[in-house]
Amino acid sequence: MAGGAPNNALRIAAPLLGAVMPIPAPGSGVCGICHSSVEGYENCFPCNQARQFLQRDVPKVVPISLEVEGEQLHHALKGYKDDRDADVRDRFAYQLAALSELFWRRHVTCIEPFDAITTVPSSDRNAFEAVVQRSHRLTDLYQPLLTRTGASGTHQLNAAKYSVARDKVEGRRIVLVDDTFTSGATVFSAARAIRNAGGLVDHIVVIGRYIKRSHRPSSDLIDRMRAEPWDVTECVCCRPQTSLFAGW
């Protein structure tokens, strides 16, 4: 970690670890793309829209944890950007960077091969750079490849929302990293923009897969996954999948 030895990552991330949960495997009741709850279909509606929009295989979405509305991880993912207190923003950014560091140390081989990672600007800012810059591992892999254009529609699929550094993208494998996955409109739009510029996007890595308890299938999913221990040595790419929904 920038500003602290790498061995400090677990200590710095500790305030978040009680809210971190494993990601459910695709299957009955779980979207095959974004790992959200879904009833009666292979993929949720936004991800089916993304399949049509991308016109090719949808990148694999790799969340580090479920992010339950109102819980500590959700609070940190909002607070590092929006809290009025700069010290609070900084503390949350370090905690999220430490959690990311724990993931990337163990699971970079799950994402390989790739040439660089890049963040996805939302609206007029690129807030997640504040997290990336606090992690030695992410800083070493990071290149700023996307800028936000004036195109509207934050929650709509639209590759024109992003300008791409084509000379740094063409023919290269790029991993998109972001803080939260909600509908996927932002990261899927960025993936299409990079592909339009000649780059390859196979993976999207996010800290939290946002989910609301107020939706009954989501509530059932949260309860199911809370009973599963989060293990830093396993991610949704490498964790044995057969045990996650036995008896679901």
Side-chain angles (χ1 to χ4, degrees):
M1 305 269 313
N7 289 339
N8 287 335
L10 189 61
R11 175 182 60 80
I12 296 170
L16 301 180
L17 297 183
V20 172
M21 289 187 287
I23 299 299
S28 178
V30 178
C31 176
I33 295 173
C34 74
H35 308 279
S36 66
S37 59
V38 64
E39 292 186 293
Y41 297 93
E42 181 180 358
N43 301 315
C44 66
F45 179 71
C47 286
N48 277 328
Q49 286 187 310
R51 290 177 68 91
Q52 299 176 24
F53 171 73
L54 288 164
Q55 299 178 341
R56 280 187 266 169
D57 291 340
V58 179
K60 185 174 182 63
V61 179
V62 185
I64 296 174
S65 172
L66 290 181
E67 174 197 349
V68 181
E69 182 184 34
E71 294 193 0
Q72 183 61 21
L73 183 58
H74 177 228
H75 185 52
L77 286 164
K78 286 175 61 66
Y80 92 93
K81 297 182 288 189
D82 299 331
D83 197 278
R84 294 181 179 181
D85 188 326
D87 289 339
V88 173
R89 294 197 303 271
D90 189 60
R91 182 172 70 250
F92 282 145
Y94 269 110
Q95 291 173 4
L96 295 168
L99 183 59
S100 298
E101 185 91 8
L102 291 173
F103 172 87
W104 283 91
R105 271 196 234 159
R106 295 279 189 171
H107 301 293
V108 66
T109 56
C110 298
I111 310 301
E112 290 177 337
F114 64 91
D115 298 298
I117 69 172
T118 199
T119 52
V120 184
S122 60
S123 64
D124 58 347
R125 61 179 177 171
N126 196 341
F128 197 54
E129 281 188 341
V131 174
V132 170
Q133 291 166 357
R134 286 165 171 78
S135 163
H136 284 309
R137 184 61 58 94
L138 295 185
T139 299
D140 289 344
L141 299 171
Y142 174 66
Q143 293 182 17
L145 303 176
L146 295 168
T147 54
R148 186 65 188 254
T149 69
S152 61
T154 301
H155 303 293
Q156 297 176 348
L157 294 163
N158 181 5
K161 291 191 288 191
Y162 297 101
S163 175
V164 182
R166 181 178 289 270
D167 60 321
K168 298 180 181 179
V169 161
E170 191 168 6
R172 304 179 75 212
R173 292 185 180 274
I174 308 300
V175 176
L176 292 173
V177 296
D178 208 355
D179 49 15
T180 296
F181 185 105
T182 304
S183 71
T186 298
V187 289
F188 289 141
S189 294
R192 176 66 183 271
I194 289 174
R195 288 177 173 180
N196 288 351
L200 303 171
V201 180
D202 297 326
H203 291 87
I204 295 168
V205 179
V206 298
I207 293 178
R209 201 301 168 211
Y210 177 77
I211 190 168
K212 289 185 175 182
R213 180 174 283 281
S214 57
H215 182 230
R216 188 196 58 77
S218 296
S219 179
D220 293 344
L221 182 64
I222 292 166
D223 291 341
R224 183 74 174 186
M225 298 317 297
R226 201 178 300 283
E228 297 276 348
W230 183 78
D231 186 343
V232 70
T233 67
E234 297 178 342
C235 75
V236 73
C237 297
C238 67
R239 181 176 182 173
Q241 304 294 294
T242 54
S243 65
L244 288 181
F245 289 96
W248 178 265

